[in-house]
Amino acid sequence: MSNSLVEKRTGIGSGLAFVVTGPSGAGKNSVIDLVMAQLPQLVYSVSYTSRSKRPPEIDGEDYVFVSEDEFVRRIEAGDFLEHVTYLDDHYGTSRSQIKDSIAQGFDVILNIEVEGAKTLQQIDLGGTKVIYVFLAPSSMKELEARLRNRNTEDKSKIQRRLRVAKQEMKALPCFDYLVINDDLETAVRELASIIVAERVRLS
Ligand code: 5GP
């Protein structure tokens, strides 16, 4: 196949950004982890957060964990592409990590809540194509069960996450794709298919 034909595709190596959004507890982390194990040239956007680290999390891999003061300092320095306060904690997407990964030809995958995804839709990422995937739970009941089983929050925090989730579900029409995480394997296959399809899309 000639190179000129290959270049007509958006293609691996041109740096796409895949934003996976949706309610907390829908399974964004699990689906993304499994998709990343399957697909090459995909870099995870490691967000900054001021929330405390949960037991299995690794600083610099799951998040960069910083103090609230450090987070505010970074907002003022313009380090974030977008940032939100979600249930008392701050979360922000690193501008430099996204820029560097895309410049190196990697596709980037972002795991962010809905407000942040909507903010990104208003920002020009220097011509980078951004694809928005909404990952939804099969039902609110299922979401509640997942948040409980996760055992990472107390009852009142789970209730707050559920209230936010109800609002977040309303934003669904803002995005490009819907993946329903009813069955993990199916959700992984669907997200991987979206990524592969976008890579071979004619530019
Ligand atoms: P958790 O505390 O469960 O790790 O994350 C809470 C929510 O914040 C999740 O929906 C997660 O996707 C989202 N989140 C993580 N990092 C970012 C970020 O950099 N920006 C935004 N807007 N949301 C984030």
Side-chain angles (χ1 to χ4, degrees), residues 28 47 51 54 63 82 84 91-93 111-113 161:
K28 299 194 290 291
S47 292
R51 90 148 155 71
R54 294 181 192 139
Y63 285 105
E82 60 74 40
V84 290
Y91 298 83
T93 302
N111 171 349
I112 65 178
E113 53 69 73
R161 283 194 184 234

Side-chain angles (χ1 to χ4, degrees), residues 48-50 64-80 90:
Y48 282 73
T49 186
S50 64
V64 178
F65 294 92
V66 293
S67 66
E68 184 149 356
D69 285 352
E70 171 68 8
F71 196 97
V72 171
R73 195 194 63 70
R74 285 179 175 275
I75 294 175
E76 284 161 5
D79 286 357
F80 300 127
H90 307 299

Side-chain angles (χ1 to χ4, degrees), residues 34-132:
L34 291 166
V35 165
M36 289 194 64
Q38 288 180 13
L39 296 181
Q41 298 286 107
L42 204 49
V43 171
Y44 186 68
S45 162
V46 182
S47 292
Y48 282 73
T49 186
S50 64
R51 90 148 155 71
S52 351
K53 189 151 73 76
R54 294 181 192 139
E57 289 177 329
I58 299 173
D59 193 12
E61 279 188 27
D62 296 286
Y63 285 105
V64 178
F65 294 92
V66 293
S67 66
E68 184 149 356
D69 285 352
E70 171 68 8
F71 196 97
V72 171
R73 195 194 63 70
R74 285 179 175 275
I75 294 175
E76 284 161 5
D79 286 357
F80 300 127
L81 266 181
E82 60 74 40
H83 61 90
V84 290
T85 303
Y86 174 88
L87 303 186
D88 310 328
D89 296 311
H90 307 299
Y91 298 83
T93 302
S94 162
R95 185 186 299 279
S96 60
Q97 196 213 339
I98 302 279
K99 205 173 136 227
D100 294 349
S101 302
I102 285 177
Q104 288 165 30
F106 290 100
D107 295 337
V108 184
I109 191 156
L110 291 82
N111 171 349
I112 65 178
E113 53 69 73
V114 165
E115 277 313 306
K118 281 159 78 179
T119 302
L120 278 187
Q121 289 180 320
Q122 314 301 321
I123 298 173
D124 175 19
L125 290 185
T128 299
K129 184 167 183 218
V130 189
I131 297 102
Y132 294 88

Side-chain angles (χ1 to χ4, degrees), residues 128-143:
T128 299
K129 184 167 183 218
V130 189
I131 297 102
Y132 294 88
V133 181
F134 190 95
L135 186 78
S138 51
S139 67
M140 290 308 285
K141 225 175 160 184
E142 176 61 33
L143 187 69

